[in-house]
Amino acid sequence: QVHLVESGGGLVQAGGSLRLSCAASVRTFTRYVMGWFRQAPGKEREFVARISWSGGDTRYADSVKGRFTISRDNAKNTVYLQMNSLKPEDTAVYYCAADRTHSDSFYDYAYWGQGTQVTVSS
């Protein structure tokens, strides 16, 4: 069982930055691929970024490439999402997810956090 808790969301102006954190309560954190997804009101949950167990392989949605950076600290059982140059269309609830498969699909992730709200004002 993996318990995930996100933090770091909030309200920011367009062009600003936020860093999200996701703390995992699990003994074998390094066995898991970690992903970030987001869901805006009335829209389907969408892939944002993911990172391999070692941190050596990362993937991003085209909409955030060059602006967002995913990283992990395996000693702290934590994954981060640094979000720069934020846009109003980045407004959503952001979810952390964990699984052992490398996937961009939310269907493939077994474990989810409760989500943290990110609101970008224009």
Side-chain angles (χ1 to χ4, degrees), residues 29 71-80:
F29 182 65
S71 62
R72 66 191 294 164
D73 185 337
N74 287 338
K76 295 182 178 180
N77 281 17
T78 301
V79 63
Y80 304 98

Side-chain angles (χ1 to χ4, degrees), residues 51-97:
I51 188 166
S52 63
W53 67 270
S54 68
D57 181 31
T58 57
R59 293 286 188 270
Y60 297 92
D62 288 342
S63 58
V64 307
K65 207 171 290 185
R67 300 188 298 121
F68 291 11
T69 303
I70 189 171
S71 62
R72 66 191 294 164
D73 185 337
N74 287 338
K76 295 182 178 180
N77 281 17
T78 301
V79 63
Y80 304 98
L81 185 68
Q82 178 66 44
M83 306 186 294
N84 298 328
S85 302
L86 282 161
K87 305 175 181 179
E89 51 263 43
D90 294 317
T91 295
V93 177
Y94 283 70
Y95 297 90
C96 173

